[in-house]
């Protein structure tokens, strides 16, 4: 298997102009029906190459990489620089070249020459010249699903303090907000310790080409909210997000609330709906912050059935981050095989043999090819579901072990994509105890 030389690092980065800061009440959905094309490899774009951090493959031919000039990114003999043998194959050394004082001096000299109307062309930007993301989320616009007071808004604030949070009415819209440069990041729930995975977002991760750049875990603290003056015995129904209703089912019964449960799009939206329509027979399950925003009283505090109720959120961006090894990293991948689940053990063994811990395994039906038929002349036709497998493992793509593991995984799969390699949330754990 041959290594893919990285695209030349001498390129001019062109982007859409940054929109002037503004605040949106909400962003409405634009339906997107384009199908997903699963190439035979890790991706088709420069961003995919960066995200996968030079996974070994000879199957991928990038259609969007610029044509490299002779000698660009290669040695004197035309071969790629920093090539090392890994796992019996060749791969690309992930050593990054920092901006040195000499580089800075050269850039300053170029600026002086330009000011003097020099005919020398300006030095093209390289990846090492790009500024990092604003520290601590300053001036970042972060999209989330829901309305102000939603837990997703709180997760956005935890991930990026001082950011401008942009509410979106659907998960799909949050993805599109980042793709269309309306937002810089999206923060979306991916799983809950009680309710399990949010399957919709797993499907959207595959449909869109955004990259996971971080994660945050948020303790969820539910409250029973009603309009001022309303008592529990007046209630005939409780509305909230389906997972919030499920997470509070036992506590609602213990409170003696023999009322109808109704599902709505989000928790804070339930509180907003009750307040906007002056529903005095209806309560909402939402956060204490939502109660303050929409002028509601808290009838019961901390009504989740388990105090260890945590939702894990992922942060998405248009470009991946450069993986590092100086702090704990996590990597998320998705893969499939045309012969179904028969290779799953081999794939998992690639991680087990290298002592790489898996933190998540999720299977989802293959949307483009959901059914596989197996003919048997003596028995008939068997039908099996085809699956995509999502795996999270505790290793950075800058770690040689991870590179070796994915090199082996690709030998057994027909589709492999790295969704992101990002820092793990290492904040101390404490049960939910209010906002």
């Amino acid at each position: 298997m041959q290594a893919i030389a990285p695209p030349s690092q001498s390129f001019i980065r062109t982007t859409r102009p940054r929109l002037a800061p503004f605040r949106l009440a909400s962003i409405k959905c634009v339906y997107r029906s384009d199908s997903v094309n699963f190439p035979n490899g890790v991706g088709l774009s420069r961003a995919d190459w960066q995200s996968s951090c030079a996974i070994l493959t000879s199957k991928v031919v990038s259609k969007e990489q610029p044509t490299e000039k002779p000698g660009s990114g290669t040695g004197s003999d035309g071969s790629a620089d920093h090539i090392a043998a890994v796992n019996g194959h060749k791969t690309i050394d992930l050593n990054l070249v920092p901006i040195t004082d000499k580089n800075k001096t050269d850039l300053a000299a170029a600026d002086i020459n330009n000011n003097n109307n020099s005919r020398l062309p300006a030095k093209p930007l390289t990846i090492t010249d790009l500024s990092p993301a604003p520290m601590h989320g300053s001036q970042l616009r972060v999209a989330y699903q829901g309305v102000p007071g939603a837990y997703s808004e709180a997760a956005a604030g935890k991930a990026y303090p001082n950011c401008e949070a942009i509410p979106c009415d659907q998960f799909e819209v949050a993805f599109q907000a980042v793709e269309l440069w309306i937002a810089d990041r999206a923060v979306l729930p991916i799983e809950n310790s009680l309710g399990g995975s949010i399957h919709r977002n797993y499907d959207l991760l595959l449909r869109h080409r955004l990259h996971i750049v971080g994660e945050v875990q948020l303790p969820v603290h539910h409250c029973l909210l009603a309009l001022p003056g309303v008592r529990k015995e007046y209630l005939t129904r409780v509305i909230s997000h389906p997972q919030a209703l499920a997470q509070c089912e036992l506590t609602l019964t213990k409170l003696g609330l023999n009322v109808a449960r109704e599902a709505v799009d989000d928790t804070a939206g339930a509180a907003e709906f009750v307040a906007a329509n002056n529903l005095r027979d209806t309560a909402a399950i939402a956060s204490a912050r939502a109660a303050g925003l929409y002028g509601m009283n808290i009838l019961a505090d901390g009504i989740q059935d388990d105090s260890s109720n945590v939702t894990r959120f992922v942060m998405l961006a248009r470009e991946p981050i450069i993986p590092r090894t100086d702090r704990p990293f996590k990597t998320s991948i998705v893969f499939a095989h045309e012969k179904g689940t028969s290779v799953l053990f081999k794939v998992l063994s690639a991680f087990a043999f290298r002592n790489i811990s898996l933190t998540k395994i999720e299977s989802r039906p293959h949307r483009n090819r959901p059914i596989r038929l197996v003919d048997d002349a003596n028995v008939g036709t068997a039908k099996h579901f085809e699956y995509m497998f999502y795996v999270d493992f505790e290793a950075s793509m800058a770690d040689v072990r991870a590179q070796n593991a994915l090199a082996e995984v690709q030998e057994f799969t027909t589709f492999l994509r790295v969704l992101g390699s990002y820092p793990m949330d290492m904040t101390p754990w404490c049960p939910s105890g209010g906002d």
Side-chain angles (χ1 to χ4, degrees):
M1 181 178 291
Q2 297 179 351
I4 290 182
S8 172
Q9 292 186 346
S10 295
F11 64 93
I12 298 178
R13 182 183 178 94
T14 60
T15 62
R16 302 185 186 181
R18 183 178 179 92
L19 301 179
F22 61 92
R23 186 172 301 277
L24 300 179
S26 66
I27 304 175
K28 299 300 180 182
C29 179
V30 177
Y31 179 72
R32 178 172 179 157
S33 60
D34 51 335
S35 61
V36 181
N37 179 28
F38 300 124
N40 189 16
V42 296
L44 296 176
S45 67
R46 181 192 304 277
D48 290 329
W49 176 87
Q50 292 173 328
S51 179
S52 59
C53 300
I55 302 174
L56 302 177
T57 173
S58 61
K59 306 175 184 178
V60 180
V61 179
S62 177
K63 298 180 180 179
E64 297 179 6
Q65 292 176 354
T67 303
E68 294 190 352
K69 299 179 180 179
S72 176
T74 61
S76 59
D77 59 350
S79 60
D81 290 335
H82 308 298
I83 300 297
V86 177
N87 199 35
H89 304 279
K90 290 184 178 180
T91 187
I92 299 170
D93 190 356
L94 294 176
N95 291 334
L96 301 177
V97 180
I99 301 177
T100 63
D101 292 337
K102 182 179 183 301
N103 297 140
K104 295 177 181 177
T105 303
D106 292 342
L107 288 173
D111 290 339
I112 295 174
N113 289 336
N114 289 335
N115 291 335
N116 294 333
N117 298 322
S118 173
R119 294 185 178 181
L120 294 176
K123 181 179 178 181
L125 292 176
T126 67
I127 194 169
T128 56
D129 297 323
L130 302 180
S131 300
M135 296 300 294
H136 307 299
S138 60
Q139 299 179 354
L140 278 181
R141 296 164 298 183
V142 181
Y144 68 93
Q145 188 274 330
V147 299
Y151 294 106
S152 293
E153 183 193 37
K158 181 179 180 180
Y160 301 107
N162 303 318
C163 70
E164 179 186 358
I166 301 177
C168 305
D169 70 338
Q170 297 180 30
F171 291 128
E172 172 87 18
V173 181
F175 279 83
Q176 292 183 12
V178 178
E179 290 176 331
L180 299 175
W181 297 74
I182 297 172
D184 303 298
R185 300 284 189 275
V187 174
L188 296 169
I190 202 70
E191 59 180 331
N192 177 265
S193 58
L194 300 182
S197 300
I198 291 87
H199 295 133
R200 174 61 176 162
N201 284 338
Y202 274 102
D203 294 338
L204 289 173
L205 282 174
L206 198 59
R207 173 180 292 184
H208 294 268
R209 308 302 294 183
L210 300 182
H211 304 269
I212 302 177
V213 295
E215 67 171 2
V216 63
Q217 298 182 12
L218 183 75
V220 177
H221 188 81
H222 290 309
C223 301
L224 185 67
L225 312 181
L227 291 174
V230 174
R231 296 188 296 181
K232 287 186 291 185
E233 51 267 28
Y234 296 162
L235 301 175
T236 61
R237 66 172 177 166
V238 174
I239 64 174
S240 191
H241 188 276
Q243 288 219 9
L245 292 172
Q247 293 163 15
C248 302
E249 180 65 32
L250 295 178
T251 304
L252 291 177
T253 302
K254 290 179 182 179
L255 291 174
L257 295 177
N258 186 20
V259 296
R261 276 76 158 165
E262 253 181 59
V264 294
D265 288 340
D266 60 271
T267 55
E272 181 188 44
F273 180 78
V274 172
N277 293 277
N278 195 31
L279 302 177
R280 305 193 67 81
D281 62 344
T282 303
I285 296 176
S287 65
R289 170 171 161 76
L293 287 175
Y294 303 111
M296 303 185 69
N297 287 345
I298 299 177
L299 299 181
D301 191 18
I303 64 172
Q304 62 275 1
D305 295 337
D306 191 335
S307 60
S308 301
N309 184 17
V310 180
T311 298
R312 175 175 169 246
F313 295 79
V314 292
M315 291 92 86
L316 305 174
R318 290 178 294 273
E319 299 291 338
I321 60 174
I322 298 176
R324 299 160 59 179
T325 57
D326 59 347
R327 61 166 297 175
F329 258 65
K330 182 182 291 184
T331 301
S332 298
I333 65 173
V334 56
F335 64 86
H337 193 274
E338 62 184 8
K339 295 183 179 179
T341 60
S342 60
V343 300
L344 184 58
F345 173 77
K346 296 179 181 179
V347 169
L348 299 183
S349 297
F351 298 100
F353 291 156
R354 294 170 177 85
N355 294 320
I356 298 176
S357 299
L358 304 185
T359 61
K360 175 73 174 178
I361 303 177
E362 181 75 28
S363 62
R364 295 290 294 149
H366 198 312
R367 296 178 66 90
N368 283 11
R369 191 173 59 250
I371 299 294
R372 176 167 57 95
L373 302 180
V374 180
D375 293 325
D376 191 309
N378 297 324
V379 179
T381 302
K383 302 178 182 65
H384 301 285
F385 281 106
E386 292 280 15
Y387 290 99
M388 308 291 296
F389 293 94
Y390 295 81
V391 171
D392 295 343
F393 60 87
E394 293 183 349
S396 167
M397 281 304 301
D399 189 337
V400 174
R401 295 181 307 150
Q403 298 173 44
N404 292 351
L406 291 192
E408 184 174 338
V409 166
Q410 192 164 6
E411 296 293 332
F412 306 123
T413 59
T414 55
F415 168 72
L416 172 63
R417 177 178 163 192
V418 176
L419 298 172
S421 188
Y422 49 92
M424 295 174 57
D425 184 356
M426 303 297 291
T427 55
W429 159 249
C430 62
S432 59
D435 296 339

